[in-house]
């Protein structure tokens, strides 16, 4: 027989154990991504940039590659993975549905539409698109989250079927709009569509990261601070209200935090699908559904998954690279199908 | 402690009930009975402050609409009929969620969770998550959450309100009695419970007063003995009834008779 005390202690311990494992994996990927690349293969490169220049045997060029290309790309993968995983878990709480994910229900696509619109149209009216990019993507994500939430809701319930159908429709509309806008862009339109719909971390740079950082931080801290309320929301809206949660305010906050995170991420990397679906699911298998214990594990695992996918994207067809969205979709889509099947077998329609 | 007057609730164009008046004193166990669809659940959720209504609902001298929901959550708990189990929470997770509004140390919370696990006899189920529980087991878990929410059996727990929607519908005989006995002890400390229930005999055994809803109106409200009368029950349930008294306890016992259906069943073959 287990006592509640043991249960909670075990939960916490288990959560810490997985967090440490994933932290070690993140560190390993740090060495791999910082130390290995076309400009030089040496694990010591991963640390050399931290030291004063005359202490190392590496050239200035090599160190510049690490600090201006490899390091921002590593940071980008770290942040994007954590944000996508966390916004995924939050979207599932918002919809009270383990199958919801910002890329499946069209939120990422909404963000991409606005991003492409800004890139295509801002130069024509004399604005610098880079400054506006994260905010435009945020507004697109916000709009779609509201739309999906209201269109999929029937009698305070959001069914899997309506959620996914609304997602299919909004994704289709968004892809059409991205295609349309990219014909107005100066850049080669085909390449642009590819970049926004498949995602890539190749554009990583410090300026883009810094521009999106405020949005990312707000999303990350905001959602993490709401983890106890997210738990209650998973029990259903009336249940949460009976436990003293202001549901309208909480839902509004979640929608905004999710849109901030997804918008900022899409502005930097384009659409990277399925991370928000697969990572929370795996995390629940490892540490249970309780957000108090799972959210930090979920964010770390998200970073690990993104770092791994980005590494695959770089090596599979080297010397060129694959869009990272192809990798995450190849892993994520089968998991999604499996979850759909499981969901149907359980006869769970709500 | 809880008063409602001229209470009217509609769902769309359909009026669920109209012009209900009632008063529940502290320390009372009120059974809410009536046919399927009589509006029992709707009344409970309205009294809980969850549904729009016209009329008045006063809880502790203050309209239920004017309560801050976080404060209200420490004074009234609701056991709903349906529980969302799309996410595989563990049993202690659910019970601990009842303590959301209380500022207490983690250790204090864990101790309380342990107490309510024992009270609802859930110890043997702790290695399962809520997706692996039967309907009755799930009911006991959420009941434990309600008790934990109100700190039901701590010193000085008075004038609190528990609204239970068919808490015994999936329970076996032993757990039915155990749960209602727990609710009874809760009310004997000076708290109030309103319990929607279909089993009239359980209502007769435990309730201090019975509220009988019929066709959107308050058909009767009073002690079990005055409400559970043959003429009243036969009119409401449209079945022949006999009332006698419990062999060892001085409570009314209700016996219903099988209904004659041969005629209706035969009509299937005729058409």
């Amino acid at each position: 027989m287990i006592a509640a005390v043991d249960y909670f202690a075990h939960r916490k311990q288990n959560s810490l154990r997985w967090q440490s494992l994933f932290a070690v994996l993140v560190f390993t990927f740090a060495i791999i991504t910082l130390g290995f690349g076309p400009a030089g293969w040496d694990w010591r490169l991963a640390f050399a940039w931290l030291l004063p220049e005359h202490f190392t045997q590496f050239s200035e060029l090599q160190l510049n590659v690490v600090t201006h290309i490899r390091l921002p790309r590593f940071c980008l993968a770290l942040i994007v993975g954590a944000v996508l995983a966390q916004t995924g878990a939050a979207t599932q709480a918002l919809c009270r549905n383990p199958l919801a994910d910002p890329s499946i229900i069209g939120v990422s696509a909404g963000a991409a539409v606005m991003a492409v619109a800004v890139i295509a149209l801002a130069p024509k009216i004399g604005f610098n698109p880079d400054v506006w990019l994260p905010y435009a993507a945020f507004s697109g994500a916000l709009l779609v989250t509201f739309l999906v939430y209201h269109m999929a809701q029937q009698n305070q319930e959001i069914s899997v079927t309506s959620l996914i159908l609304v997602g299919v429709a909004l994704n289709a509309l968004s892809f059409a709009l991205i295609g349309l806008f990219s014909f107005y862009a100066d850049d080669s339109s085909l390449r642009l569509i590819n970049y926004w719909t498949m995602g890539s971390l190749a554009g990583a740079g410090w300026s883009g990261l810094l521009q999106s950082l405020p949005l990312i931080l707000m999303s990350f801290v905001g959602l993490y601070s709401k983890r106890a309320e997210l738990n209650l929301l998973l029990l259903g809206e009336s249940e949460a209200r009976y436990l003293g949660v202001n549901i309208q305010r909480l839902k509004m906050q979640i929608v905004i935090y999710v849109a901030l995170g997804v918008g900022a991420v899409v502005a930097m990397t384009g659409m990277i699908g399925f991370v928000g679906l697969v990572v929370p699911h795996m995390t629940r298998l490892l540490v249970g559904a309780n957000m108090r214990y799972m959210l930090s594990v979920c964010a770390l695992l998200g970073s690990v998954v993104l770092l791994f996918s980005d590494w695959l994207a770089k090596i599979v067809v080297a010397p060129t690279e694959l869009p990272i969205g192809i990798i995450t979709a190849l892993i994520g889509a089968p998991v999604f199908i499996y979850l759909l099947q499981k969901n149907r077998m359980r006869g769970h329609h709500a | 402690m809880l008063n409602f007057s001229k209470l009217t609730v509609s769902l769309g164009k359909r009026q669920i009930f109209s012009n209900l008046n009632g008063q529940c004193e502290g320390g009372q166990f009120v059974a809410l009975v009536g046919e399927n669809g009589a509006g029992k659940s709707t009344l409970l959720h309205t009294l809980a402050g969850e549904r729009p209504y016209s009329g008045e609902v006063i809880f502790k001298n203050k309209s239920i609409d004017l309560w801050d929901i976080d404060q209200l959550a420490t004074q009234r708990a609701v056991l709903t009929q349906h529980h969302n189990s799309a996410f595989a929470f563990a049993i202690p997770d659910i019970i601990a969620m009842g303590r959301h509004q209380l500022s207490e140390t983690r250790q204090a919370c864990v101790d309380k969770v342990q107490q309510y696990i024992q009270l609802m006899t859930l110890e043997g189920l702790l290695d399962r998550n809520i997706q692996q529980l039967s309907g009755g087991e799930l009911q006991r878990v959420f009941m434990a959450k309600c008790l934990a929410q109100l700190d039901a059996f701590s010193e000085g727990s008075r004038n609190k309100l528990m609204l239970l929607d068919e808490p015994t519908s999936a329970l076996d005989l032993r757990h039915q009695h155990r749960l209602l006995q727990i609710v009874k002890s809760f009310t004997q400390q000076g708290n109030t419970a309103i319990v929607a229930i279909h089993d009239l005999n359980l209502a007769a055994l435990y309730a201090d007063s019975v509220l009988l809803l019929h066709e959107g109106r308050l058909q009767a409200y009073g002690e079990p003995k005055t409400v559970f009368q043959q003429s009243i029950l036969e009119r409401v349930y449209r079945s022949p009834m006999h009332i006698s008294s419990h062999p060892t306890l001085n409570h009314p016992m209700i016996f219903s008779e099988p209904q004659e259906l041969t005629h209706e069943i035969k009509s299937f073959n005729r058409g």
Side-chain angles (χ1 to χ4, degrees):
Chain A
M1 203 186 292
I2 322 166
V5 188
D6 303 333
Y7 163 77
F8 283 114
H10 169 76
R11 260 300 153 82
K12 200 168 179 182
Q13 213 177 17
N14 195 25
S15 166
L16 284 176
R17 198 163 45 219
W18 286 109
Q19 283 181 52
S20 358
L21 174 69
F22 294 146
V24 169
L25 283 175
V26 165
F27 186 73
T28 314
F29 275 114
I31 295 174
I32 295 173
T33 53
L34 296 181
F36 299 84
W41 286 262
D42 193 326
W43 65 270
R44 278 169 298 185
L45 261 175
F47 304 98
W49 62 278
L50 289 164
L51 304 169
E53 215 169 293
H54 53 269
F55 275 105
T56 69
Q57 77 275 39
F58 297 107
S59 69
E60 200 185 327
L61 176 74
Q62 282 179 311
L63 292 178
N64 270 338
V65 165
V66 174
T67 51
H68 287 100
I69 296 176
R70 293 183 188 172
L71 193 59
R73 188 163 181 162
F74 167 76
C75 292
L76 187 64
L78 192 75
I79 291 172
V80 166
V83 168
L84 285 181
Q86 216 188 41
T87 51
T91 309
Q92 287 152 21
L94 185 70
C95 302
R96 293 176 295 288
N97 195 315
L99 286 162
D101 166 68
S103 69
I104 294 169
I105 65 177
V107 176
S108 308
V113 170
M114 290 303 283
V116 174
V118 163
I119 289 173
L121 305 178
K124 293 198 179 8
I125 48 171
F127 283 107
N128 176 6
D130 293 348
V131 181
W132 293 96
L133 207 54
Y135 300 95
F138 161 62
S139 66
L142 195 63
L143 182 69
V144 172
T145 321
F146 271 116
L147 272 179
V148 171
Y149 193 81
H150 286 286
M151 285 164 75
Q153 196 170 29
Q154 298 160 323
N155 308 325
Q156 289 206 347
E157 289 286 334
I158 297 181
S159 74
V160 177
T161 325
S162 53
L163 193 65
I164 288 165
L165 288 178
V166 170
V168 166
L170 289 175
N171 268 326
L173 181 63
S174 302
F175 283 168
L177 286 173
I178 292 171
L180 189 65
F181 280 129
S182 48
F183 274 94
Y184 290 94
D186 302 332
D187 210 342
S188 140
S189 56
L190 205 62
R191 201 183 66 76
L192 205 60
I193 297 177
N194 240 331
Y195 180 80
W196 286 103
T197 55
M198 292 297 186
S200 170
L201 301 188
W206 290 121
S207 66
L209 258 175
L210 285 178
Q211 245 153 26
S212 294
L213 203 60
L215 278 67
I216 300 247
L217 279 179
M218 273 193 272
S219 163
F220 204 75
V221 176
L223 287 178
Y224 192 73
S225 67
K226 292 283 162 213
R227 60 196 190 286
E229 281 89 349
L230 287 173
N231 262 342
L232 304 184
L233 191 55
L234 288 177
L235 293 185
E237 285 191 23
S238 338
E239 196 78 56
R241 233 185 326 252
Y242 287 147
L243 290 166
V245 178
N246 184 338
I247 285 291
Q248 290 311 323
R249 198 175 64 195
L250 177 66
K251 287 198 296 192
M252 191 67 79
Q253 286 168 331
I254 297 175
V255 166
I256 289 172
Y257 292 144
V258 166
L260 279 169
V262 172
V265 163
V266 168
M268 292 186 292
T269 67
M271 291 164 58
I272 301 175
F274 295 103
V275 178
L277 175 86
V278 175
V279 173
H281 178 71
M282 282 164 67
T283 312
R284 280 189 215 103
L285 291 179
L286 298 177
V287 297
N290 193 336
M291 291 276 187
R292 275 177 195 274
Y293 305 106
M294 74 83 86
L295 214 50
S296 42
V297 181
C298 180
L300 266 172
L301 180 58
S303 297
V304 171
V305 165
L306 242 262
L307 284 165
F308 175 68
S309 306
D310 190 38
W311 177 68
L312 276 184
K314 279 188 288 190
I315 62 160
V316 170
V317 291
T320 60
E321 54 179 85
L322 278 175
I324 188 171
I326 290 182
I327 309 270
T328 57
L330 280 176
I331 305 169
V335 177
F336 179 58
I337 293 166
Y338 162 75
L339 288 177
L340 263 181
Q341 292 288 335
K342 204 177 97 176
N343 193 66
R344 211 175 51 183
M345 301 248 285
R346 233 156 38 82
H348 168 76
H349 300 292
Chain B
M1 191 181 89
L2 180 72
N3 302 319
F4 50 94
S5 53
K6 295 185 183 142
L7 192 59
T8 302
V9 170
S10 307
L11 251 180
K13 281 183 181 165
R14 195 165 73 94
Q15 203 169 64
I16 308 295
F17 48 74
S18 65
N19 217 8
L20 296 190
N21 298 293
Q23 196 170 1
C24 306
E25 300 303 332
Q28 269 204 319
F29 186 131
V30 182
L32 181 57
V33 299
E35 290 177 294
N36 292 139
K40 301 187 292 296
S41 297
T42 310
L43 178 57
L44 280 184
H45 290 288
T46 308
L47 296 178
E50 173 75 2
R51 274 185 187 283
Y53 60 88
S54 66
E56 253 186 350
V57 178
I58 310 281
F59 175 52
K60 290 195 180 186
N61 305 320
K62 192 154 112 183
S63 169
I64 199 84
D65 297 333
L66 298 178
W67 277 83
D68 289 329
I69 59 166
D70 47 346
Q71 278 173 19
L72 190 57
T74 64
Q75 301 297 314
R76 77 91 182 81
V78 185
L79 179 73
T80 53
Q81 265 190 65
H82 304 289
H83 310 291
N84 181 2
S85 54
F87 293 86
F89 282 106
I91 295 169
D93 290 336
I94 300 281
I95 303 174
M97 283 184 214
R99 315 285 295 173
H100 180 66
Q101 288 305 332
L102 299 161
S103 42
E104 60 185 350
T105 62
R106 196 73 194 144
Q107 188 54 48
C109 174
V110 171
D111 289 344
K112 288 282 177 193
V113 169
Q114 179 65 33
Q115 285 176 4
Y116 290 109
I117 282 176
Q118 279 164 356
L119 191 65
M120 294 311 297
T121 55
L122 296 165
E123 302 99 320
L125 306 174
L126 291 190
D127 52 347
R128 289 193 240 161
N129 69 49
I130 59 166
Q131 291 178 343
Q132 297 160 331
L133 298 180
S134 75
E137 289 164 343
L138 202 58
Q139 234 168 7
R140 276 151 56 204
V141 171
F142 278 85
M143 183 66 193
K145 187 214 69 188
C146 286
L147 293 168
Q149 181 184 349
L150 294 184
D151 236 341
F153 294 107
S154 67
E155 295 257 341
S157 166
R158 287 203 198 351
N159 290 325
K160 293 180 178 174
L161 174 65
M162 207 179 266
L163 300 161
L164 309 176
D165 198 354
E166 297 191 24
T168 55
S169 60
L171 299 185
D172 61 55
L173 202 63
R174 174 169 85 97
H175 284 107
Q176 285 183 352
H177 282 287
R178 198 179 158 89
L179 186 139
L180 292 174
Q181 192 59 57
I182 287 168
V183 177
K184 186 83 187 169
S185 311
F186 172 71
T187 59
Q188 280 165 347
Q189 288 176 17
N191 301 296
T192 303
I194 304 180
V195 183
I197 191 163
H198 277 299
D199 190 323
L200 301 181
N201 288 316
L202 285 175
L205 277 178
Y206 289 97
D208 300 305
S209 55
V210 176
L211 209 155
L212 177 60
L213 276 183
H214 183 55
E215 291 175 345
R217 305 203 167 274
L218 197 59
Q219 186 72 35
Y221 184 26
E223 282 181 34
K225 271 181 198 165
T226 57
V227 175
F228 291 152
Q229 288 181 14
Q230 195 177 7
S231 57
I232 299 178
L233 292 181
E234 284 187 341
R235 188 165 62 241
V236 169
Y237 289 99
R238 282 166 277 185
S239 306
M241 298 270 187
H242 297 288
I243 318 281
S244 74
S245 96
H246 192 281
T248 53
L249 305 163
N250 185 22
H251 290 285
M253 289 269 104
I254 298 100
F255 298 96
S256 49
E257 278 180 18
Q259 272 181 324
E260 191 57 55
L261 282 181
T262 12
H263 183 68
E264 287 170 49
I265 288 173
K266 269 183 187 156
S267 72
F268 277 90
N269 297 326
R270 239 178 282 138

